[in-house]
Every structure is written in C-alpha cells, then in structure tokens.
Amino acid sequence: MEIQHYFEEIIVDVDQLDYLLMHNNHDVRLLEEGGLKMENHCHAFSVLVSACENVPELHAKLCRVYTLIWTLLQIVENKLEGCGLPDWPSFQLSLLPTQSVGRPSYDIQYDQVAFLRNLGMSWSGISKALKISRRTLYRKKAEWSFENIEANISNEDLAVLIQEILTQTPNAGEVYVLGSLRARKVSVARWRVREQLHALDHLGRALRRRTTIQRRIYQVKGANYLWHIDSNHKLISYRLVYHGCIDGYSRLLIYLRCLTNNKAASVLELFKHGTNLFGIPSRVRGDRGVENIHVAQFMLNERGIDRGSFIVGRSVHNQRIERLWAEVNRIVTRHFKDLFLFMSYNDYLDEHSDIDLFCLHYVFLPRIEKCLEEFVNQWNHHSLSSARAKSPFQLWSLAHLEGQHYENIVGMEDDAYFENPNLYGLDEMGPPPEIETSNSVVVPEFELHLSDQQMHRINVSIPDVMSDDGQCGISHYLKIREILLEH
C-alpha cells in the first residue's frame, strides 16, 4: 500500500512540474521545489530499478519512468541556471600599496581564509565570498601550506561513526549524517556516506526521501533580525514538551530542548542561554502561549516597545519553525513515540501513572536530549538546497562577517517590517502545523516523593541510565518500575 501511495505521489509531482514547464513558469521557488522532488524520485527509482533486474518486464517499465523523471530534472536544472539566483555575500578585500607598475595585490588574510575553511566552505565558495579568482586563492593556499580538509578515515571507521549517529537519529538521511560528521570536524566525500547508508537500508532510505521538507527562499534582512520560538507537544501525553528557537534568516537552531514542563521561566532560561551564545535578536515571533510571556517581557525591556520587539501570532503564521518541527518529528520523535506506544500496548506503561511516567522520564529523557543534541549538530551543519549548499551555521557566520546581522544601532532596521508588521517573517508557501495546539498547555507535576533508600536502590541497580540494555532502554525502565512498585 505504501508503494502504491508513492507511485500516486509521483504522478501528481510529474503533472505539476509538467504544467509549470508547459506554461513557461520561471518562479525560482516552484522550479526548485519541483527539481528537488524529481531528484528524490531519481534516487528512489535507481534503487527500485536495481532491485527488479530479475523481473525483465517490470524492470523495463521502471526504466522508462526513471528516464522520464531524469529528463524533467535536467530541464529544470537548465532553467534554474538562467534564473539569476542571488550571489552569496562577499567580503570586500583591500588592496596592498605598491611602488611597481601593474595592478596591486589583494590583502588576503590567513585568519580570514582559515575561518571560512573551518566553516566547511569549499575553495570555490571561499573565492566567491572574497571576490577573487580561484587561481589567486590557490596561490595563497600554496604559500600558507593549507592541509587538505578531507579526513583520512577508513571505510571501517566511517561505518562505525555513521552507525553511532544513526543510533541517536535512526531516521536521518545522508544530508543530516553529513551534518553530524561536519560537526565532529570529519569531512568526507558525500558518495562515501551514501555508500554506507545504502549498505544499511537502501530501499527504506530511498523511499523515505519523498518526505523531505521542501525549501523555499525566505526574505529577512539578515542574521538576528528575527528569531522564531515555539513549543511542540507531540509527546505531551507523557508530560514531555519540546522547546525550540530558530534564526529566520539563516535557519540556525538557537536552542532545542525537551523539558518536563511548559513554564515561562524555563523558556526564558533557554532563550537567555541562546542570546549568550548568539546575541540578542531585533525581534522574536511566537504564538500567544503562556510559556512565551517572560520572553516577550525580556524582548520589550531589551529592544523597546511600539516597534514589534515580540510579534504575536497564531502557530500557522510561524511556518519557519513549523518546518523544523516536521523534521524533529521525523528524525527524533517518531522513534520514541513508537517505543512508548509499544510499551503501552504490552502493559509496561500507563501514561496516567505517576510512577510509570517518573520511570519513563528517568530513563528516556536523557536519551531524547542526547538525540536532540545530535539533531542540532545535523541541522546546523547540513546543506540547504535553497541556499546553494550552504549550512545554517555558514549562513549565520557569513552574515556577521559581511555585516548582514542586526546590531542595536541607527540604520540597522529591516524596512520589510515597517511595510507590513503583521506579515513580517511569514512564509505563505510554508507548511502549516499538523495540529494547532492550545496556547495554555499546563504540564502536571508529579505527586510522587521518593525516599533516599529508593533512590539509592535505583542508582545501585542502574549506575548508568544511558548504558545499552539491549532493549532500547526498556529493561532499565522495568527495573526502576519494579523498585518503586515494591513500596
């Protein structure tokens, strides 16, 4: 049934793209979206075609469909090349004074190039950012004796590292895995990662590519001009709430945590920690949830009133972070929700029992937090298809180096806000939330008091709650539950 649904999706996607091309539509966002869908289908079909080589008739039909999809992809890529996509921000280099005849040399600083290289940028990308030729940059590279950023890692070690990443985020694809590797300062060719993932679950991963969130161009003046904050209640039945914040311009994840409460004080603590790392934004967009009250007060105190320091709107107007939640649900939440449903089905877990939920939090909350930490690394270092393969961290860093970030000085305002304050930071083409939750969600606190003896028995029974029990943490959970039910 899943395969049938997938082929129905292909028919719809091909018809939509064919309509765009027939009517000579040059909307870059729509062409990018259609091209990305065709690219995903090409990957899936290359696997399907290989799997059906022993069935000649089916193999021939799949090859014809694959050829059609591949042809559409080439047409879209050719059109995009002529659409004049914006160039990346560039640094303005000064010229060195010279007494000789001829054009003076650029003053290229080692620290500047090293910083861009450490961001994971290619030499071609650095030359564009500095507005110099690749030949000039390569000449400076030879003078400075730059080491090759490509990691000298064997296939065996790479497989172990990727398996470690997939243990934390089992639904991550090659783009997110590459993000995790970059966060670990490991740079490898994309084809090597693809080979490892293909060996693990080639068909399943190919089919899951169809659920990729489509990226579109988003217009905000620069980094820290607008942050989006929100909470996610996918695990609210287990008294767990996600809290997240994202920079609208670069899509950099400022923070992403899973807490056992939805209190305004907790959200403010997360927000302040984010500002300590990345600075205070010009404006913040959030919904009317009670958990955002203290952040709104903080922004009004720091940035002033009557200027939209905290923009309030419904969740459907906060699509920038809603896209993030779709990925968090797919990469992280799905695994744990399926696990908790399995426990409930086998009568291991009663979501109305304080004892069961305490045990659940004790064992699985650290695991969820560990997975979220891995996801943040993946997200902040993954390549964005709508940003010419730059990562959120690269975009945010380049914005600061180029001066395209907000500073609380005269002349740094974003004119787009004053043109229409109510629509500032909206993405009308973005996905709405699956369910618009209540703005007054209160997570009940435990009415459970453990004795020192009980805590001692728990610590002795399970010294390391993150250790592998061979059952995804369920054995640890049942041991703690048994200790508490004895009293």
Side-chain angles (χ1 to χ4, degrees):
M1 196 65 180
E2 186 178 4
I3 294 291
Q4 178 182 347
H5 179 66
Y6 174 54
F7 276 93
E8 291 172 355
E9 283 186 3
I10 293 177
I11 294 173
V12 173
D13 292 341
V14 169
D15 286 344
Q16 289 177 346
L17 185 56
D18 186 59
Y19 179 84
L20 284 176
L21 297 174
M22 286 284 291
H23 290 77
N24 203 27
N25 192 320
H26 293 287
D27 189 314
V28 174
R29 294 181 298 177
L30 295 178
L31 288 174
E32 281 187 336
E33 178 184 350
L36 182 59
K37 288 180 178 179
M38 293 304 107
E39 183 181 356
N40 291 341
H41 292 323
C42 278
H43 281 284
F45 260 82
S46 65
V47 175
L48 289 172
V49 168
S50 299
C52 297
E53 288 182 348
N54 296 328
V55 187
E57 185 176 352
L58 178 59
H59 182 266
K61 291 181 179 179
L62 290 175
C63 284
R64 287 197 293 271
V65 178
Y66 176 81
T67 302
L68 170 64
I69 296 172
W70 185 86
T71 302
L72 285 174
L73 176 60
Q74 301 309 305
I75 295 173
V76 171
E77 289 182 345
N78 290 335
K79 279 187 172 291
L80 286 174
E81 286 182 1
C83 284
L85 293 175
D87 290 328
W88 288 106
S90 303
F91 300 103
Q92 194 68 37
L93 295 177
S94 59
L95 296 174
L96 292 172
T98 179
Q99 302 297 326
S100 60
V101 178
R103 188 176 61 181
S105 301
Y106 285 110
D107 183 17
I108 306 173
Q109 299 296 321
Y110 173 88
D111 291 342
Q112 189 179 48
V113 176
F115 178 79
L116 294 174
R117 193 61 175 154
N118 287 332
L119 288 180
M121 293 183 65
S122 65
W123 291 109
S124 178
I126 294 174
S127 68
K128 290 179 181 178
L130 297 177
K131 281 189 175 178
I132 59 176
S133 68
R134 280 183 292 180
R135 179 177 297 179
T136 299
L137 183 60
Y138 290 152
R139 188 165 57 248
K140 298 297 293 186
K141 170 190 172 185
E143 293 176 10
W144 291 327
S145 301
F146 261 100
E147 294 183 3
N148 193 349
I149 196 171
E150 176 77 16
N152 184 20
I153 183 172
S154 66
N155 287 333
E156 292 75 15
D157 291 340
L158 180 61
V160 171
L161 198 54
I162 291 178
Q163 187 61 59
E164 176 186 324
I165 294 169
L166 294 179
T167 299
Q168 301 298 333
T169 51
N171 294 317
E174 67 182 61
V175 174
Y176 284 135
V177 170
L178 279 166
S180 283
L181 293 172
R182 289 172 189 149
R184 290 169 165 82
K185 305 300 181 184
V186 175
S187 179
V188 296
R190 185 165 181 167
W191 65 268
R192 294 184 64 190
V193 174
R194 186 179 297 125
E195 277 191 351
Q196 295 294 337
L197 293 177
H198 182 83
L200 290 170
D201 182 17
H202 62 283
L203 182 58
R205 291 188 177 281
L207 291 176
R208 277 196 290 272
R209 289 179 64 92
R210 75 185 192 278
T211 62
T212 301
I213 300 300
Q214 310 302 326
R215 308 297 179 194
R216 298 178 176 88
I217 297 172
Y218 174 86
Q219 296 296 334
V220 170
K221 188 174 181 179
N224 285 5
Y225 272 87
L226 181 64
W227 285 5
H228 299 259
I229 66 172
D230 195 21
S231 57
N232 179 300
H233 301 148
K234 279 290 186 179
L235 296 178
I236 191 64
S237 299
Y238 310 100
R239 302 186 194 177
L240 296 170
V241 182
Y242 293 127
H243 296 279
C245 176
I246 192 171
D247 175 55
Y249 173 79
S250 63
R251 278 163 278 189
L252 183 77
L253 248 173
I254 307 300
Y255 63 78
L256 178 63
R257 296 289 304 278
C258 182
L259 304 181
T260 58
N261 67 76
N262 198 39
K263 295 179 179 178
S266 299
V267 176
L268 178 61
E269 183 179 351
L270 296 177
F271 187 82
K272 282 186 173 180
H273 180 68
T275 60
N276 290 337
L277 294 175
F278 302 105
I280 300 175
S282 174
R283 294 179 174 87
V284 174
R285 176 176 281 279
D287 60 27
R288 300 180 185 276
V290 293
E291 72 274 12
N292 295 331
I293 291 176
H294 289 354
V295 171
Q297 292 173 341
F298 175 85
M299 287 301 299
L300 292 174
N301 291 335
E302 292 292 330
R303 294 298 185 222
I305 60 175
D306 297 330
R307 61 174 299 279
S309 296
F310 189 89
I311 305 171
V312 179
R314 299 167 58 209
S315 292
V316 294
H317 292 161
N318 213 9
Q319 296 99 328
R320 202 56 162 174
I321 200 167
E322 291 298 338
R323 290 179 176 179
L324 169 71
W325 290 138
E327 292 294 87
V328 171
N329 293 337
R330 181 175 69 89
I331 303 295
V332 178
T333 308
R334 182 189 299 173
H335 168 71
F336 287 100
K337 192 161 188 178
D338 289 347
L339 188 62
F340 297 162
L341 289 174
F342 169 82
M343 294 166 65
S344 298
Y345 180 80
N346 287 279
D347 296 326
Y348 299 152
L349 172 65
D350 178 2
E351 63 187 55
H352 301 293
S353 166
D354 277 6
I355 289 179
D356 286 5
L357 290 180
F358 171 84
C359 299
L360 189 82
H361 290 184
Y362 191 89
V363 173
F364 291 102
L365 184 56
R367 295 166 185 260
I368 295 174
E369 285 277 86
K370 184 69 174 177
C371 291
L372 292 178
E373 181 182 341
E374 187 67 58
F375 177 81
V376 170
N377 285 332
Q378 294 173 348
W379 178 273
N380 283 344
H381 294 86
H382 85 287
S383 301
L384 299 169
S385 60
S386 61
R388 291 186 174 178
K390 294 292 187 298
S391 71
F393 186 67
Q394 288 174 345
L395 289 176
W396 189 86
S397 300
L398 286 171
H400 278 257
L401 292 171
E402 181 67 9
Q404 291 186 316
H405 67 288
Y406 179 77
E407 292 181 0
N408 192 20
I409 58 177
V410 177
M412 293 294 291
E413 281 291 358
D414 191 345
D415 295 335
Y417 171 77
F418 297 100
E419 291 174 4
N420 196 331
N422 292 328
L423 297 180
Y424 183 64
L426 297 189
D427 185 358
E428 295 181 359
M429 298 295 291
E434 297 177 11
I435 300 176
E436 190 172 3
T437 53
S438 170
N439 290 322
S440 302
V441 175
V442 178
V443 182
E445 296 184 2
F446 290 123
E447 296 182 1
L448 181 67
H449 303 284
L450 301 186
S451 65
D452 293 340
Q453 181 182 2
Q454 287 175 311
M455 288 304 304
H456 176 72
R457 288 190 60 190
I458 291 174
N459 292 330
V460 171
S461 177
I462 308 174
D464 181 11
V465 73
M466 291 290 290
S467 61
D468 185 11
D469 62 357
Q471 295 186 5
C472 301
I474 295 179
S475 292
H476 289 342
Y477 165 86
L478 292 175
K479 285 182 181 180
I480 299 174
R481 185 171 180 255
E482 182 180 357
I483 292 173
L484 297 185
L485 289 176
E486 289 178 357
H487 294 74

mmCIF file of all heavy atoms in Angstrom, residues 9 14 18 25 66 85 91 119 126 129 136 150 193 204 229 272 277 325-326 337 374 394 398 425 433 455 466 483-484:
data_model
loop_
_atom_site.group_PDB
_atom_site.id
_atom_site.type_symbol
_atom_site.label_atom_id
_atom_site.label_comp_id
_atom_site.label_asym_id
_atom_site.label_seq_id
_atom_site.Cartn_x
_atom_site.Cartn_y
_atom_site.Cartn_z
ATOM 1 N N GLU A 9 1.956 9.606 -5.701
ATOM 2 C CA GLU A 9 2.648 10.872 -5.464
ATOM 3 C C GLU A 9 3.485 11.263 -6.681
ATOM 4 O O GLU A 9 3.551 12.441 -7.059
ATOM 5 C CB GLU A 9 3.562 10.756 -4.244
ATOM 6 C CG GLU A 9 2.843 10.820 -2.915
ATOM 7 C CD GLU A 9 3.827 10.837 -1.751
ATOM 8 O OE1 GLU A 9 5.046 10.854 -2.005
ATOM 9 O OE2 GLU A 9 3.368 10.830 -0.602
ATOM 10 N N VAL A 14 4.877 14.807 -11.157
ATOM 11 C CA VAL A 14 5.236 14.944 -12.576
ATOM 12 C C VAL A 14 4.238 15.843 -13.294
ATOM 13 O O VAL A 14 4.619 16.712 -14.090
ATOM 14 C CB VAL A 14 5.319 13.562 -13.255
ATOM 15 C CG1 VAL A 14 5.415 13.707 -14.768
ATOM 16 C CG2 VAL A 14 6.510 12.781 -12.727
ATOM 17 N N ASP A 18 5.240 19.302 -15.036
ATOM 18 C CA ASP A 18 4.969 19.405 -16.476
ATOM 19 C C ASP A 18 4.112 20.629 -16.783
ATOM 20 O O ASP A 18 4.331 21.328 -17.785
ATOM 21 C CB ASP A 18 4.281 18.127 -16.955
ATOM 22 C CG ASP A 18 4.103 18.106 -18.468
ATOM 23 O OD1 ASP A 18 5.114 18.190 -19.182
ATOM 24 O OD2 ASP A 18 2.945 18.026 -18.923
ATOM 25 N N ASN A 25 6.727 28.821 -16.724
ATOM 26 C CA ASN A 25 6.760 29.494 -15.419
ATOM 27 C C ASN A 25 8.203 29.565 -14.930
ATOM 28 O O ASN A 25 8.876 28.541 -14.812
ATOM 29 C CB ASN A 25 5.895 28.718 -14.412
ATOM 30 C CG ASN A 25 5.656 29.507 -13.137
ATOM 31 O OD1 ASN A 25 6.551 30.161 -12.636
ATOM 32 N ND2 ASN A 25 4.433 29.432 -12.623
ATOM 33 N N TYR A 66 11.889 6.065 -14.938
ATOM 34 C CA TYR A 66 13.112 6.705 -14.459
ATOM 35 C C TYR A 66 13.656 7.693 -15.494
ATOM 36 O O TYR A 66 14.076 8.811 -15.162
ATOM 37 C CB TYR A 66 14.163 5.654 -14.131
ATOM 38 C CG TYR A 66 15.499 6.228 -13.724
ATOM 39 C CD1 TYR A 66 15.720 6.677 -12.427
ATOM 40 C CD2 TYR A 66 16.532 6.356 -14.646
ATOM 41 C CE1 TYR A 66 16.934 7.217 -12.050
ATOM 42 C CE2 TYR A 66 17.761 6.895 -14.283
ATOM 43 C CZ TYR A 66 17.951 7.323 -12.980
ATOM 44 O OH TYR A 66 19.156 7.862 -12.621
ATOM 45 N N LEU A 85 19.894 33.407 -9.842
ATOM 46 C CA LEU A 85 19.815 33.294 -8.390
ATOM 47 C C LEU A 85 20.810 34.234 -7.739
ATOM 48 O O LEU A 85 21.876 34.514 -8.297
ATOM 49 C CB LEU A 85 20.108 31.848 -7.977
ATOM 50 C CG LEU A 85 19.068 30.816 -8.416
ATOM 51 C CD1 LEU A 85 19.549 29.424 -8.045
ATOM 52 C CD2 LEU A 85 17.722 31.100 -7.813
ATOM 53 N N PHE A 91 33.153 39.342 0.894
ATOM 54 C CA PHE A 91 33.967 40.256 1.672
ATOM 55 C C PHE A 91 34.674 41.229 0.740
ATOM 56 O O PHE A 91 35.100 40.857 -0.352
ATOM 57 C CB PHE A 91 35.007 39.481 2.486
ATOM 58 C CG PHE A 91 34.411 38.504 3.445
ATOM 59 C CD1 PHE A 91 34.419 37.153 3.144
ATOM 60 C CD2 PHE A 91 33.829 38.922 4.618
ATOM 61 C CE1 PHE A 91 33.869 36.238 4.010
ATOM 62 C CE2 PHE A 91 33.274 38.017 5.487
ATOM 63 C CZ PHE A 91 33.292 36.671 5.176
ATOM 64 N N LEU A 119 34.573 26.637 8.514
ATOM 65 C CA LEU A 119 33.119 26.574 8.408
ATOM 66 C C LEU A 119 32.676 25.444 7.489
ATOM 67 O O LEU A 119 31.491 25.141 7.407
ATOM 68 C CB LEU A 119 32.568 27.901 7.875
ATOM 69 C CG LEU A 119 32.588 29.110 8.813
ATOM 70 C CD1 LEU A 119 32.011 30.322 8.097
ATOM 71 C CD2 LEU A 119 31.804 28.830 10.080
ATOM 72 N N ILE A 126 34.926 29.918 -1.109
ATOM 73 C CA ILE A 126 35.711 30.975 -0.456
ATOM 74 C C ILE A 126 36.137 32.027 -1.477
ATOM 75 O O ILE A 126 36.102 33.230 -1.195
ATOM 76 C CB ILE A 126 36.946 30.368 0.238
ATOM 77 C CG1 ILE A 126 36.507 29.467 1.403
ATOM 78 C CG2 ILE A 126 37.884 31.458 0.751
ATOM 79 C CD1 ILE A 126 37.651 28.715 2.057
ATOM 80 N N ALA A 129 33.233 34.245 -2.039
ATOM 81 C CA ALA A 129 32.980 35.111 -0.892
ATOM 82 C C ALA A 129 33.961 36.272 -0.835
ATOM 83 O O ALA A 129 33.607 37.390 -0.454
ATOM 84 C CB ALA A 129 33.044 34.297 0.404
ATOM 85 N N THR A 136 44.074 32.924 -7.775
ATOM 86 C CA THR A 136 44.692 33.749 -6.727
ATOM 87 C C THR A 136 44.620 33.058 -5.372
ATOM 88 O O THR A 136 45.591 33.029 -4.606
ATOM 89 C CB THR A 136 43.989 35.120 -6.647
ATOM 90 O OG1 THR A 136 44.141 35.791 -7.898
ATOM 91 C CG2 THR A 136 44.580 35.974 -5.533
ATOM 92 N N GLU A 150 39.872 17.122 3.781
ATOM 93 C CA GLU A 150 39.310 15.762 3.656
ATOM 94 C C GLU A 150 39.913 14.841 4.715
ATOM 95 O O GLU A 150 41.129 14.704 4.824
ATOM 96 C CB GLU A 150 39.596 15.210 2.260
ATOM 97 C CG GLU A 150 39.153 13.775 2.056
ATOM 98 C CD GLU A 150 37.662 13.641 1.860
ATOM 99 O OE1 GLU A 150 37.016 14.660 1.574
ATOM 100 O OE2 GLU A 150 37.164 12.514 2.000
ATOM 101 N N VAL A 193 29.491 8.547 2.182
ATOM 102 C CA VAL A 193 28.372 8.465 3.132
ATOM 103 C C VAL A 193 27.196 7.750 2.482
ATOM 104 O O VAL A 193 26.542 6.904 3.097
ATOM 105 C CB VAL A 193 27.958 9.875 3.600
ATOM 106 C CG1 VAL A 193 26.704 9.809 4.470
ATOM 107 C CG2 VAL A 193 29.098 10.542 4.357
ATOM 108 N N GLY A 204 14.596 1.288 2.057
ATOM 109 C CA GLY A 204 13.860 2.112 3.012
ATOM 110 C C GLY A 204 14.292 3.558 2.973
ATOM 111 O O GLY A 204 13.467 4.468 2.999
ATOM 112 N N ILE A 229 10.256 31.355 17.888
ATOM 113 C CA ILE A 229 10.218 30.417 19.015
ATOM 114 C C ILE A 229 8.876 29.698 19.036
ATOM 115 O O ILE A 229 7.864 30.227 18.580
ATOM 116 C CB ILE A 229 10.471 31.112 20.374
ATOM 117 C CG1 ILE A 229 9.325 32.087 20.719
ATOM 118 C CG2 ILE A 229 11.798 31.826 20.385
ATOM 119 C CD1 ILE A 229 9.420 32.645 22.128
ATOM 120 N N LYS A 272 17.574 32.978 27.152
ATOM 121 C CA LYS A 272 18.729 33.759 27.600
ATOM 122 C C LYS A 272 20.037 33.029 27.291
ATOM 123 O O LYS A 272 21.029 33.664 26.918
ATOM 124 C CB LYS A 272 18.619 34.040 29.103
ATOM 125 C CG LYS A 272 17.658 35.161 29.461
ATOM 126 C CD LYS A 272 17.714 35.466 30.945
ATOM 127 C CE LYS A 272 16.890 36.693 31.306
ATOM 128 N NZ LYS A 272 16.951 36.992 32.763
ATOM 129 N N LEU A 277 24.915 32.940 23.565
ATOM 130 C CA LEU A 277 25.722 32.316 22.524
ATOM 131 C C LEU A 277 25.692 33.097 21.218
ATOM 132 O O LEU A 277 26.722 33.210 20.528
ATOM 133 C CB LEU A 277 25.228 30.884 22.273
ATOM 134 C CG LEU A 277 25.393 29.874 23.410
ATOM 135 C CD1 LEU A 277 24.739 28.552 23.022
ATOM 136 C CD2 LEU A 277 26.862 29.655 23.740
ATOM 137 N N TRP A 325 9.898 21.600 13.167
ATOM 138 C CA TRP A 325 9.181 20.567 13.933
ATOM 139 C C TRP A 325 8.885 19.350 13.067
ATOM 140 O O TRP A 325 8.908 18.213 13.560
ATOM 141 C CB TRP A 325 7.884 21.129 14.499
ATOM 142 C CG TRP A 325 8.041 22.135 15.590
ATOM 143 C CD1 TRP A 325 7.345 23.301 15.748
ATOM 144 C CD2 TRP A 325 8.950 22.077 16.707
ATOM 145 N NE1 TRP A 325 7.763 23.970 16.870
ATOM 146 C CE2 TRP A 325 8.742 23.241 17.478
ATOM 147 C CE3 TRP A 325 9.915 21.172 17.121
ATOM 148 C CZ2 TRP A 325 9.466 23.506 18.642
ATOM 149 C CZ3 TRP A 325 10.649 21.433 18.274
ATOM 150 C CH2 TRP A 325 10.409 22.589 19.019
ATOM 151 N N ALA A 326 8.601 19.562 11.789
ATOM 152 C CA ALA A 326 8.348 18.423 10.907
ATOM 153 C C ALA A 326 9.565 17.504 10.851
ATOM 154 O O ALA A 326 9.443 16.279 10.858
ATOM 155 C CB ALA A 326 7.986 18.919 9.508
ATOM 156 N N LYS A 337 8.147 7.837 20.156
ATOM 157 C CA LYS A 337 6.707 7.640 20.261
ATOM 158 C C LYS A 337 6.324 6.201 19.941
ATOM 159 O O LYS A 337 5.472 5.598 20.617
ATOM 160 C CB LYS A 337 5.972 8.606 19.330
ATOM 161 C CG LYS A 337 4.475 8.655 19.590
ATOM 162 C CD LYS A 337 3.837 9.900 19.027
ATOM 163 C CE LYS A 337 2.384 10.005 19.494
ATOM 164 N NZ LYS A 337 1.739 11.238 19.015
ATOM 165 N N GLU A 374 22.284 15.624 18.961
ATOM 166 C CA GLU A 374 22.791 15.139 17.672
ATOM 167 C C GLU A 374 22.055 15.817 16.522
ATOM 168 O O GLU A 374 22.653 16.203 15.509
ATOM 169 C CB GLU A 374 22.625 13.629 17.584
ATOM 170 C CG GLU A 374 23.268 12.985 16.370
ATOM 171 C CD GLU A 374 24.783 13.068 16.416
ATOM 172 O OE1 GLU A 374 25.389 12.567 17.388
ATOM 173 O OE2 GLU A 374 25.358 13.654 15.478
ATOM 174 N N GLN A 394 27.005 28.257 8.428
ATOM 175 C CA GLN A 394 27.773 29.047 7.473
ATOM 176 C C GLN A 394 27.051 30.346 7.127
ATOM 177 O O GLN A 394 27.664 31.411 7.079
ATOM 178 C CB GLN A 394 28.023 28.228 6.203
ATOM 179 C CG GLN A 394 29.027 27.100 6.376
ATOM 180 C CD GLN A 394 29.137 26.234 5.136
ATOM 181 O OE1 GLN A 394 28.300 26.290 4.250
ATOM 182 N NE2 GLN A 394 30.178 25.414 5.079
ATOM 183 N N LEU A 398 28.612 33.941 7.937
ATOM 184 C CA LEU A 398 28.892 34.845 6.828
ATOM 185 C C LEU A 398 28.137 36.168 6.983
ATOM 186 O O LEU A 398 28.666 37.232 6.646
ATOM 187 C CB LEU A 398 28.516 34.182 5.503
ATOM 188 C CG LEU A 398 29.452 33.083 5.002
ATOM 189 C CD1 LEU A 398 28.842 32.368 3.807
ATOM 190 C CD2 LEU A 398 30.811 33.650 4.638
ATOM 191 N N GLY A 425 8.111 38.192 8.517
ATOM 192 C CA GLY A 425 8.603 36.874 8.915
ATOM 193 C C GLY A 425 7.689 35.732 8.562
ATOM 194 O O GLY A 425 7.917 34.601 8.988
ATOM 195 N N PRO A 433 1.084 24.009 10.766
ATOM 196 C CA PRO A 433 1.279 22.931 11.735
ATOM 197 C C PRO A 433 0.242 21.846 11.541
ATOM 198 O O PRO A 433 -0.864 22.107 11.093
ATOM 199 C CB PRO A 433 1.111 23.644 13.087
ATOM 200 C CG PRO A 433 0.280 24.846 12.788
ATOM 201 C CD PRO A 433 0.664 25.271 11.401
ATOM 202 N N MET A 455 16.016 5.889 45.945
ATOM 203 C CA MET A 455 16.975 6.467 45.003
ATOM 204 C C MET A 455 18.304 5.718 45.042
ATOM 205 O O MET A 455 18.943 5.510 44.005
ATOM 206 C CB MET A 455 17.202 7.956 45.304
ATOM 207 C CG MET A 455 16.024 8.856 44.926
ATOM 208 S SD MET A 455 15.534 8.711 43.185
ATOM 209 C CE MET A 455 17.064 9.069 42.331
ATOM 210 N N MET A 466 22.201 5.638 30.717
ATOM 211 C CA MET A 466 22.385 5.721 29.272
ATOM 212 C C MET A 466 23.051 4.475 28.691
ATOM 213 O O MET A 466 23.229 4.367 27.485
ATOM 214 C CB MET A 466 23.230 6.948 28.921
ATOM 215 C CG MET A 466 22.537 8.276 29.163
ATOM 216 S SD MET A 466 21.190 8.554 27.997
ATOM 217 C CE MET A 466 22.110 8.810 26.473
ATOM 218 N N ILE A 483 11.278 -1.509 41.356
ATOM 219 C CA ILE A 483 11.742 -0.995 42.655
ATOM 220 C C ILE A 483 10.685 -0.089 43.279
ATOM 221 O O ILE A 483 10.380 -0.191 44.480
ATOM 222 C CB ILE A 483 13.063 -0.230 42.478
ATOM 223 C CG1 ILE A 483 14.184 -1.200 42.103
ATOM 224 C CG2 ILE A 483 13.428 0.538 43.740
ATOM 225 C CD1 ILE A 483 15.490 -0.521 41.735
ATOM 226 N N LEU A 484 10.076 0.774 42.484
ATOM 227 C CA LEU A 484 9.102 1.726 43.019
ATOM 228 C C LEU A 484 7.777 1.056 43.366
ATOM 229 O O LEU A 484 7.094 1.481 44.315
ATOM 230 C CB LEU A 484 8.864 2.854 42.012
ATOM 231 C CG LEU A 484 10.078 3.724 41.675
ATOM 232 C CD1 LEU A 484 9.672 4.880 40.771
ATOM 233 C CD2 LEU A 484 10.745 4.261 42.942
#
